Amino acid sequence: MDVSVELALTVNGVPVRRRVEPRQSLADFLRYELELTGSHVGCEHGACGACTVRVDGTPVRGCLMLAVQADGSRVETIEGIAASGELADLQRAFAEENALQCGFCTPGMLLTAQEILRRNPRAGDVEIREGLSGNYCRCTGYHAIVQAVLRAGGVREKGQP
Amino acid sequence: MSDTPARITERESYIGRSVVRPQTARLLAGRGVFTDDVTLPRMTHVAFVRSPHAHARIGAIDTAAARALPGVIAVVTGVELARVCDGWVGTLAHFQGMKSAKQHALAIGKAAWQGEPVVAVVAESRAIAEDGVGRVAVEWEPLPAVTEPETALDPATPLIHPELGDNLVFSLELKAGDVEEAFRQADAVYTDTFRMGRHTAVTVEPRTILADFDPAEQQLTVYHAFQAPHMMQDILARHLRLPEHHVRVICRDVGGSFGLKVHIYPDEVAACALAVLLGRPVKFTADRVESFVSDIHARDHRVRAEVAVKRDGTILGMRVDDLTGIGPYSVYPRTSAVEGNQTVRLTPALYRFRHYAARLSVVLQNKTPMCQYRAVGHPVAFAVMEGMVDRVARELGLDPVEVRRRNLVTQDMYPHTTQTGYFFERLSLEECLDSLLELADYRRLCAERDALRARGTYRGLGLCGFVELTTPGPAFYGVGGARISSQDGCTIRFEPSGTLTCMTGVTEQGQGTDTMIAQVVATAVGVPMEHVRVLTGDTMVTPYGGGTWASRGAGIGGEAALLSGKALKENILKVAAAILGGEPMDLDVRRGAVVDADTGEVRLPLAEVGRIAYFRPDTLPKDFQSELTVTRHYVPRHQGFAFTNGIQLSHVEVDMETGFVRLLKHWVVEDCGRIINPRLVDEQLRGAIVQGIGAALWEHCVYDDQGQLRNGTLMDYLVPMAPEIPDIVVGHVETPTAYSEGGFKGAGEAGTAGAPGAVLNAVNDALAPFGARLTAQPITPGDVLTALGKL
């Protein structure tokens, strides 16, 4: 019995229409149906944050949301957000601070960092660490990531009128 | 020809510079290619029926319902898979008396841990494969589970593998000097038993493999999240009975490894065997729940330690008894005995007392197999040793820094051979201690701690010195019969444009191996770093090598790159001399051009050398042949390991009401020889320290007495996250090894080696006013309250 459901959504600005199984997670939908492999699946139970994507402007766990729940939504992945240039300063800061090693958690980290700075470009060490508390990194020990977010925030602050 | 090639410490050197890793741009744009990102035509997915019991006989297996499921391609049992895949035994011949049972890709007859793969279901999607797993019916006959190492050897304890005769995998007795006499001469003897809990590596990328078999060519191509591609090539060829040159292993981006991804896992071998069986690509990606029961676990030691000391804190002798439980099999091919072996050999290494006796017992259990994880054996050894040093200081009313100074191996003692036979060319134990105390302003912290104590705030400072075993030579595995390469190579191809393509046997899992190799090669040849492209992790392309583990990337891969770069430069100069009509020795390569060696005047851009060598060799002398692709290899011949050293300091605050430990700050001063990229080394240290902190405070694989893992999700297995982790200050001392030209040593284990001991000592320092002390990790709030007599 075919239980697949049709959904229509916008992914990185492009309209997408697909039939999917209702049980498919948004993360799997993006990775396997659309071949957008930038968001990664680390735990499938909402703990690691590697699958973070934006749905209608809000960061969500791609593994905890079903693809069908994104019907009609605007979904943005690291590929789209990076290509738009929105993250350029954060990416630069991450590279300069070596705020990534294996890079598996990095797309999720960047989207979370972007949300932290969107809320408060002046976020300090404690606020950044709290903001990153849903994203595991096993390589860096977080120090460099915090430094990178501080650095990008500082630059944004100066750049504002 | 020049006999004195240019020294690598010239002003244009990239060595010692914190250059940005070029490959991060790709990772930061979401363009990394991890194994699960790879999709092949006709690709299938495998999921496994795993044993729900820690120990059980496997009866009838009914696969009919699973086979009937649309989308299921094959359901394969252990007996069926064994027809194409030979089993293995994880022992090393130089570990005398070591034994382990034969292990198969899928269990045959009996399952020996909860999570052992038993039946494979291959389907069009992972979801359908999992549906199929749910429809396989296995008749289980549960057997009593062996869970506690302490009773594993009791006559009443069942045998996990009756054919072995007992549950003892390996035992070792070490004796140096006259321990009995040392204990007779002691003013005091202190004894403690340390329990270092079982934990696991938790790479954020789970284990993943994609095997593709082409029956027409008999060619197996494997994409693998792994650290040692050539080792995997060798193993797959032998166990799947394929010619070695028909197996290609490709490791592209690897999402963290830490020693977890350097072992042979039955489910991964099964995926490859299934690809051969089916003639189709088979992908296996562990989900997180599977990871917890099938990734290797680590540590799990009980160490009884006794020290004999003089009243002034001088250590006269030590006895150590290490018992470690490794699960039901010694993990192939590195073995699970190396961990305990290194623990008992490393324990006394920092100190100069000569009387030492150690006993090691490695025993079987019905738990997930335990094997080598970052800083194999080190964190246990130094938590024990440095815990005992702090105990001595406390009992005798001495300063812990002074007790260390009184006992450390000193600068005038090198070269030094330790009590257990490790050779130290030259370390910097005293310099690192001095540097750490200054960096952390230790005396001020002590004064602050004492002042706060009077006001009811309890802080503690914990030191932990360590040595780190890096750059392992051929005596590590080769002599034991494991086919793990201790040499590595580097091939550099000079492109017609004058840029360099470099292929190295060492691999990249986030450490920045590509960058480090590019820095060395650019420096050795004399070109801008952006003219060097580094390729790793492809057995069909890269020179044969061991890969990246045991901190061998810089010490072995870096040295091979240096030798290769220098050889290429010589060859470039020969071509240039042939073009220009002069002597190579009068020329040099700087900033991507052939220059006059004396004046630095540009004589020939490298692109011109390439153009003539490749496209217009007719203009060169008839007897001249250019050689612009070179390969050099390196194996450490002169010492077993390039030991490094360092010391850490942890600063904590303990809430005596709740038992919670808050980390305030952490310092490390480390000496990894000549540093290629300081920023990469700093971040290696920080990441490794946090793994050690995790072990000290949170990470624990908790089992019940039936051998069931009780916390197999990331919701209840606690991994450190950003808010819990303090700032980590890093300092360096540089003592290059004189046994290699580059002087490089490793840095990957150092952080994990010392962090648990530093945290344990810091917590005990905070608890000292209450006369309480802990000797087990992880240190939970409950343990703290129990030690305080509040629970």
Side-chain angles (χ1 to χ4, degrees), chain B residues 384-396 398-401 403-404 442 461-464 757-758 760-762 764-765 773:
Chain B
V384 168
M385 187 71 235
E386 294 291 86
M388 294 312 290
V389 168
D390 270 22
R391 167 117 197 253
V392 167
R394 184 141 301 127
E395 298 271 358
L396 297 174
L398 301 170
D399 178 347
V401 173
V403 176
R404 284 177 173 81
Y442 180 77
L461 291 159
L463 289 164
C464 186
L760 191 61
N761 282 347
N764 282 331
D765 187 38
R773 186 156 168 275

Side-chain angles (χ1 to χ4, degrees), chain B residues 12 58 104 138 164 185 200 203-204 249 255 291 293-294 306 328 352 398 416 462 482 491 529 593 597 624 670 748:
Chain B
E12 285 162 31
I58 302 166
H104 294 277
V138 181
L164 298 182
Q185 286 181 8
T200 182
T203 56
V204 185
V249 178
S291 298
V293 295
S294 63
E306 260 182 301
R352 57 178 182 259
L398 301 170
H416 173 76
T491 297
M529 207 183 118
F624 181 81
E670 191 260 2

Side-chain angles (χ1 to χ4, degrees), chain B residues 703-750:
Chain B
Y703 281 86
D704 68 13
D705 58 7
Q706 301 299 305
Q708 294 281 320
L709 182 67
R710 300 296 302 273
N711 59 342
T713 75
L714 281 172
M715 293 301 180
D716 38 24
Y717 179 98
L718 304 178
V719 176
M721 307 208 65
E724 293 96 58
I725 292 302
D727 281 341
I728 297 168
V729 183
V730 182
H732 300 284
V733 171
E734 282 189 78
T735 310
T737 168
Y739 288 114
S740 71
E741 191 159 333
F744 317 131
K745 304 191 253 183
E749 333 289 324

Side-chain angles (χ1 to χ4, degrees), chain A residues 21 23 28 31-32 35-50 61 64 78-80 82-83 87 90-107 109-110 125-126 128-147 151, chain B residues 20-21 24-25 27-32 34 36-37 39 45 125 127-128 131 199-206 253-256 258 283 285-289 292 373-374 508-511 679-680 683-684 686-688 690-691 694 699 712-715 717-723 725-729:
Chain A
E21 282 193 60
R23 64 175 171 177
D28 282 355
R31 288 178 52 76
Y32 303 130
E35 297 180 339
L36 291 165
T37 53
S39 27
H40 301 136
V41 176
C43 74
E44 295 178 274
H45 52 266
C48 81
R61 306 291 171 102
L64 291 186
I78 183 69
E79 288 94 340
L87 295 175
L90 262 173
Q91 288 167 312
R92 200 176 313 119
F94 267 61
E96 283 165 0
E97 296 286 345
N98 197 38
L100 68 154
Q101 286 179 31
C102 76
F104 193 82
C105 75
T106 306
M109 280 288 176
L110 283 169
D125 185 282
V126 173
I128 292 169
R129 284 186 183 273
E130 285 299 328
L132 295 173
S133 67
N135 293 69
Y136 280 113
C137 170
R138 196 57 165 164
C139 298
T140 63
Y142 304 104
H143 184 105
I145 297 174
V146 174
Q147 294 304 312
R151 180 195 276 229
Chain B
V20 169
R21 287 163 56 203
T24 55
L27 297 169
L28 285 159
R31 290 177 176 273
F34 297 89
D36 191 56
D37 300 341
T39 301
H45 300 258
S125 74
I128 297 171
D131 291 344
H199 50 96
T200 182
V202 194
T203 56
V204 185
E205 180 207 35
D253 291 312
V254 178
F258 319 119
K283 182 188 274 185
T285 301
D287 70 26
R288 188 53 59 183
V289 179
F292 273 107
Y373 165 50
R374 197 170 201 169
E508 166 71 37
Q509 301 104 39
Q511 303 94 327
R679 180 166 295 135
L680 296 189
E683 298 316 325
Q684 278 283 293
R686 291 194 173 104
V690 173
Q691 292 187 359
E699 297 185 44
T713 75
L714 281 172
M715 293 301 180
Y717 179 98
L718 304 178
V719 176
M721 307 208 65
I725 292 302
D727 281 341
I728 297 168
V729 183

Side-chain angles (χ1 to χ4, degrees), chain B residues 36-107:
Chain B
D36 191 56
D37 300 341
V38 180
T39 301
L40 298 175
R42 296 182 73 236
M43 187 171 86
T44 68
H45 300 258
V46 62
F48 295 95
V49 177
R50 293 178 183 276
S51 173
H53 304 287
H55 199 190
R57 229 182 299 281
I58 302 166
I61 299 174
D62 183 353
T63 60
R67 283 179 208 275
L69 194 67
V72 166
I73 293 158
V75 184
V76 181
T77 65
V79 173
E80 290 162 349
L81 203 68
R83 289 185 198 129
V84 293
C85 181
D86 297 327
W88 54 83
V89 179
T91 53
L92 288 171
H94 65 307
F95 284 179
Q96 264 186 3
M98 187 184 181
K99 62 194 186 208
S100 185
K102 185 168 232 186
Q103 191 176 5
H104 294 277
L106 296 174

